[in-house]
Amino acid sequence: MPPDAPIELPADRAFEAAGGTVGLAANVPGPALRSSRRRRRAEIAILVDPRFPGGTAGAVAAEIAALAPHAAIEVHALRTRMFRERGTNAKLAAAIEAHGLTLIEDAPVIRAETIVLHNPSCLKRDSALHQRLSCARAFVVCHENFLRPGGSEGFDVGHCLGLIDAALACGLPLLAPISPWNRDGVLAWQARADGAPGADWPVTPVDWFNVIDLPVRAPSGTPRDRRGRHSRPGFEKFPPLDRLRAQFPAEAEACVILGADNLIADPESPRHWRLLPFGAMEPAHFLAEIDFFVYFTNPLWQESFGRVIAEAIAAGKVVITDPVTASAFGPAVVADAENGQSGNLARVIEGFIADPAGYQAFVRDAQARLARFRPDAFARQTMSLLETSGEVTHAAL
């Protein structure tokens, strides 16, 4: 659905089956009330653990920039046990400062029309969410997949949503998936989590996608077999070593891996690989050294969105990944059904090298498709969600 398309949110399935109506459709205000809401700025409180590394922090930083011109924003720190040894993410801190905001610590009660809580999986080691959350509507943004490939839980979803539910005084809580695969996992979890906190919450009809606002660089006119990938060094981000060898073979002109902390320590890592630890190089500099971004993860884990893929596209590279990860980006990436395990990967790369004009055309088209993730598209979609969800009143307000 285009970001500016009209949005109709479905009623909760279980309640609807019983003959009632819940969800956003039951709370849509009349024209006079909608007109009143448009005369003032929306109030949005963003709640996130500010120590998230990688994609979540980058997504929230970009979200702040996208929404700040359209709403009164507060950013609250959710200090969880998961990141006790980390400091505040530099990108997130910079975004907060750039928009004249302050990271609010230890507020016992967070009150706003809308509360956006990012990545509930960060609560998996906690026994309580100590802030009380008072709002008309709460969006719980599901960065971490609820289910792994094969159907097992990615984390204790019921526990994390239960902590949020216990802290909420809210007219309407919603789950907000960030990609098609992420959405499928949320809905599948709800279908089997009868009675668990969050199992009956409405799910937003559009994805709460990562905001992509990156400088676009022209693709090479003479692509070569220079392959690379980057990510955090977690085991889940990397396929087994034998698969990685097939994806980055000796016959390639260059094989560069950023975030390769574990591979650096592995004596079986091929000598032709250039291995760099996480944070050793700015992603933009790393991407300048390659022409093909080859990105596959551990088969027991699935990327929920793939922000690094958008970074590679913007940098002017052809991205090759698995079909599920590719689903968030459509024709902007090459989906390899063989997951880089057969000769198909080499054929794709050889085909682009033999057709430089085709390489350039593919990259330029991919970069144009990133427009649907731009800040203005995200802002339109978010403000439309707030409009559609209506003026839900609650005694706690």
Side-chain angles (χ1 to χ4, degrees):
M1 176 184 296
D4 55 356
I7 295 175
E8 296 183 2
L9 297 182
D12 174 72
R13 295 181 302 277
F15 195 80
E16 186 178 32
T21 58
V22 301
L24 302 187
N27 297 293
V28 174
L33 192 50
R34 287 199 298 270
S35 176
S36 172
R37 289 187 68 246
R38 280 194 290 267
R39 287 195 292 268
R40 58 187 175 82
R41 286 163 65 83
E43 301 170 354
I44 302 176
I46 296 173
L47 182 57
V48 63
D49 193 315
R51 301 163 297 180
F52 264 111
T56 296
V60 177
E63 180 175 311
I64 291 169
L67 294 179
H70 306 280
I73 302 289
E74 290 184 348
V75 184
H76 291 262
L78 175 61
R79 298 286 178 180
T80 68
R81 295 173 61 86
M82 188 170 179
F83 300 117
R84 285 183 297 178
E85 307 302 320
R86 292 183 179 273
T88 297
N89 184 283
K91 285 184 179 179
L92 185 54
I96 292 170
E97 181 179 1
H99 292 278
L101 304 174
T102 301
L103 180 63
I104 301 172
E105 302 273 2
D106 301 321
V109 179
I110 300 172
R111 290 187 177 91
E113 288 178 334
T114 301
I115 291 177
V116 179
L117 188 151
H118 281 276
N119 212 337
S121 68
C122 69
L123 292 163
K124 61 187 176 185
R125 298 178 185 172
D126 289 83
S127 58
L129 197 167
H130 298 291
Q131 290 107 322
R132 299 291 297 172
L133 312 179
S134 176
C135 57
R137 67 192 69 78
F139 294 96
V140 177
V141 185
C142 310
H143 295 262
E144 191 76 15
N145 291 322
F146 282 15
L147 301 181
R148 298 181 185 275
S152 63
E153 276 197 333
F155 59 98
D156 190 340
V157 180
H159 168 75
C160 296
L161 296 185
L163 298 186
I164 297 168
D165 189 55
L168 270 176
C170 174
L172 184 65
L174 304 101
L175 296 174
I178 68 170
S179 70
W181 169 265
N182 189 246
R183 172 179 297 276
D184 289 346
V186 169
L187 294 174
W189 178 84
Q190 284 191 319
R192 73 187 199 192
D194 186 39
D200 60 348
W201 292 1
V203 177
T204 58
V206 288
D207 296 335
W208 196 282
F209 56 84
N210 278 207
V211 179
I212 306 299
D213 189 20
L214 299 168
V216 172
R217 300 187 182 279
S220 171
T222 55
R224 294 140 56 192
D225 191 354
R226 303 188 302 163
R227 311 182 190 190
R229 56 158 290 152
H230 78 87
S231 69
R232 297 195 313 273
F235 85 93
E236 74 280 1
K237 293 283 189 176
F238 286 82
L241 191 59
D242 60 333
R243 295 193 185 187
L244 209 56
R245 285 197 191 98
Q247 294 159 16
F248 295 93
E251 54 266 28
E253 180 180 337
C255 296
V256 190
I257 301 177
L258 178 61
D261 305 53
N262 297 327
L263 295 171
I264 292 171
D266 190 337
E268 296 187 15
S269 294
R271 295 176 64 85
H272 68 275
W273 289 352
R274 184 181 176 207
L275 303 177
L276 301 166
F278 184 65
M281 180 187 292
E282 284 295 321
H285 295 156
F286 153 77
L287 289 166
E289 297 189 7
I290 66 172
D291 293 307
F292 296 91
F293 191 80
V294 179
Y295 189 76
F296 298 91
T297 61
N298 192 292
L300 300 177
W301 185 84
Q302 178 60 51
E303 194 76 65
S304 54
F305 181 78
R307 190 174 183 85
V308 293
I309 290 173
E311 292 175 354
I313 294 170
K317 315 304 171 183
V318 165
V319 175
I320 307 169
T321 188
D322 66 272
V324 174
T325 303
S327 66
F329 298 92
V333 301
V334 177
D336 180 9
E338 301 298 325
N339 293 312
Q341 298 179 74
S342 70
N344 185 55
L345 178 61
R347 287 191 292 272
V348 169
I349 291 174
E350 289 166 2
F352 278 118
I353 292 172
D355 181 15
Y359 177 93
Q360 290 183 310
F362 183 91
V363 172
R364 290 194 183 104
D365 179 72
Q367 291 173 333
R369 292 177 185 275
L370 288 183
R372 67 190 181 100
F373 302 119
R374 286 185 53 80
D376 54 342
F378 180 83
R380 283 197 305 271
Q381 175 174 292
T382 302
M383 303 315 291
S384 182
L385 280 172
L386 302 190
E387 175 95 3
T388 308
S389 66
E391 196 75 33
V392 183
T393 57
H394 193 281
L397 295 173

